[in-house]
Amino acid sequence: MKMKCFDYTTLPRVQWSEGKGETRDIVCWPVSDDFAWRACFTTIHQSGVLGQFPDIDRSIVLLKGKGVRLTRPGFLEHELVKKMTPFNFSGDILGHAELLEGSVQCFNIMTRRSCWTSDISLVSDERLLPTLHSGVLYVLKGRWEMTGANCVQLAFGQGAWWLPDIREGVIKPLVADSQLLWVDLRPVG
């Protein structure tokens, strides 16, 4: 399996009811109706219900906007205001997302906790691509080159994902001040 590259601007867009937001799926693996892990972007235009996903662990990263308050009395109380800082929480609870000041755009990872775990970090240096893990990359700044499984260059708004069966490879920055989100997805057990 080689890398599957994507560009944010060409990802399918699904509008939420009443124009409250939209989702752009990068990948739902293996299938969207019963995923083991999912990577997507969400844009929230209006405060509303925070979806419930039983047996799912969620990680969210604020990309654009002033922030959003995530709440469920007694279970969840967090203001997501610091950009590029992952926040992890359980998808088991039905909560509320309150915009702090205007629309926000977020990067989301969801993993079925009985099957997968995830770790999101900011990367600005060369890295080996893990051959025994799945993963997702999303370029925030600069230009990057992936070599190994296939050779491509990625710029802002582009990324790639892979399953555990890739051959060895490397991702490296091509210009100073390059930065990307790196999601390491590991099977449980």
Side-chain angles (χ1 to χ4, degrees):
M1 161 94 183
K2 294 186 178 185
M3 295 280 183
K4 299 286 187 182
C5 295
F6 67 88
D7 187 306
Y8 174 85
T9 61
T10 61
L11 291 172
R13 189 169 70 175
V14 176
Q15 296 287 334
W16 300 352
S17 65
E18 301 173 17
K20 292 185 177 186
E22 67 180 42
T23 301
R24 293 179 187 234
D25 273 328
I26 299 166
V27 58
C28 290
W29 187 83
V31 293
S32 59
D33 291 342
D34 187 26
F35 62 84
W37 60 268
R38 176 185 185 195
C40 66
F41 296 96
T42 54
T43 302
I44 305 171
H45 300 300
Q46 296 176 23
S47 298
V49 174
L50 182 64
Q52 183 177 22
F53 295 89
D55 190 36
I56 298 294
D57 287 326
R58 299 178 71 171
S59 298
I60 187 169
V61 178
L62 179 65
L63 299 176
K64 295 179 183 176
K66 298 289 184 185
V68 61
R69 182 179 294 113
L70 307 173
T71 59
R72 170 66 182 188
F75 294 98
L76 176 65
E77 186 74 35
H78 181 76
E79 284 192 1
L80 186 66
V81 294
K82 189 172 180 186
K83 290 184 176 85
M84 311 314 160
T85 302
F87 175 66
N88 305 313
F89 62 101
S90 171
D92 292 324
I93 59 172
L94 184 64
H96 190 261
E98 179 186 348
L99 294 173
L100 299 179
E101 188 181 324
S103 296
V104 296
Q105 182 187 68
C106 299
F107 176 81
N108 300 277
I109 297 293
M110 299 181 191
T111 55
R112 188 160 309 281
R113 77 176 55 92
S114 57
C115 304
W116 292 85
T117 63
S118 69
D119 183 43
I120 302 175
S121 56
L122 285 174
V123 171
S124 57
D125 57 344
E126 183 174 312
R127 296 286 171 101
L128 288 174
L129 299 173
T131 57
L132 299 177
H133 302 179
S134 291
V136 180
L137 305 173
Y138 179 63
V139 176
L140 300 169
K141 295 192 294 189
R143 285 193 347 264
W144 293 78
E145 181 178 65
M146 288 190 306
T147 57
N150 52 355
C151 185
V152 296
Q153 288 191 13
L154 300 171
F156 171 75
Q158 298 177 323
W161 64 272
W162 65 91
L163 295 175
D165 57 355
I166 66 165
R167 295 183 299 274
E168 288 187 27
V170 173
I171 181 123
K172 63 181 178 181
L174 296 175
V175 296
D177 200 32
S178 291
Q179 191 175 58
L180 57 75
L181 283 175
W182 172 285
V183 182
D184 186 18
L185 292 151
R186 297 172 308 282
V188 171

